[in-house]
Amino acid sequence: MLIAVYPGSFDPVTNGHLDIIERASGIFKHLIIAVGKHAGKDPLFSTAERVEMIKEATKHLPNVEVDWFDGLLADYVREKGAKIIVRGLRAVSDFDYELQMALTLKKLAPTVETVFMMTNSKYIYLSSSIIKEIAGYGGCIKGLVPDNVEAALRRKFKRG
Ligand code: ADP
């Protein structure tokens, strides 16, 4: 059974991520979305909140599981018996970081392949950080994130 892991911060999940998730779930038997704690990043949403939001947004996809991990992705992937890592590529600016990640992973887990999927052209400019910036200033993010994420952002910034 071909198990793939799509790791990321997903702070929060956007329609760009969701597009990759939907396409990857059509290719692989089982897709695990793995929310990373990401040392050095100060997330807006807790790991539990991010996991819950992705669960809600992917409940129509029966072969998608949502999980979180702490520590090395290479160890997590091994533990899950996965052979594939899925990552999304937007512009050339993503390339350096993704190359570094993929080559590091190859060193730590040589039997695991990183597979890249090109962004949907509709979402080429879309990132979690731009969403947080727009939402923080009260701008409209409809159509850029799942409805439950839009509501969660509204709540978060109202409170803040
Ligand atoms: P990380 O902090 O690990 O890069 P992100 O949550 O920002 O996590 O992104 C996870 C993955 O999804 C990355 O491979 C990133 O390039 C990809 N991604 C993010 N936004 C988009 C988008 N709009 N279209 C396609 N891929 C995307």
Side-chain angles (χ1 to χ4, degrees), residues 6-17 19-20 23 38 41 86-90 94 97-98 101 116-120 122-129:
Y6 180 26
S9 314
F10 305 108
D11 185 39
V13 67
T14 69
N15 283 350
H17 295 127
D19 182 75
I20 298 282
R23 284 154 60 202
H38 228 305
K41 277 196 184 176
V86 175
R87 295 285 287 177
L89 280 180
R90 283 158 297 186
D94 277 343
Y97 177 66
E98 293 296 340
M101 288 269 293
F116 293 99
M117 295 181 74
M118 288 301 155
T119 182
N120 183 320
K122 283 196 286 192
Y123 304 126
I124 192 157
Y125 58 89
L126 189 53
S127 66
S128 300
S129 11

Side-chain angles (χ1 to χ4, degrees), residues 33-100:
I33 317 299
V35 177
K37 287 205 153 174
H38 228 305
K41 277 196 184 176
D42 189 16
L44 177 66
F45 292 99
S46 71
T47 308
E49 286 174 318
R50 285 180 274 156
V51 166
E52 269 322 300
M53 283 189 283
I54 304 171
K55 275 190 181 162
E56 175 67 25
T58 59
K59 61 180 184 206
H60 60 296
L61 301 168
N63 62 336
V64 169
E65 175 190 340
V66 190
D67 193 14
W68 62 275
F69 72 101
D70 200 4
L72 285 179
L73 178 62
D75 292 337
Y76 177 79
V77 169
R78 239 190 310 264
E79 188 189 300
K80 289 286 168 182
K83 290 266 172 276
I84 309 275
I85 298 280
V86 175
R87 295 285 287 177
L89 280 180
R90 283 158 297 186
V92 182
S93 49
D94 277 343
F95 185 81
D96 273 355
Y97 177 66
E98 293 296 340
L99 177 69
Q100 188 183 19

Side-chain angles (χ1 to χ4, degrees), residues 125-145:
Y125 58 89
L126 189 53
S127 66
S128 300
S129 11
I130 206 98
I131 286 297
K132 284 182 279 193
E133 192 158 344
I134 300 172
Y137 287 113
C140 178
I141 48 169
K142 215 169 197 47
L144 302 179
V145 292

Side-chain angles (χ1 to χ4, degrees), residues 1-5 77 80-85 111-115:
M1 178 159 115
L2 212 43
I3 303 172
V5 171
V77 169
K80 289 286 168 182
K83 290 266 172 276
I84 309 275
I85 298 280
T111 58
V112 176
E113 287 299 331
T114 304
V115 169

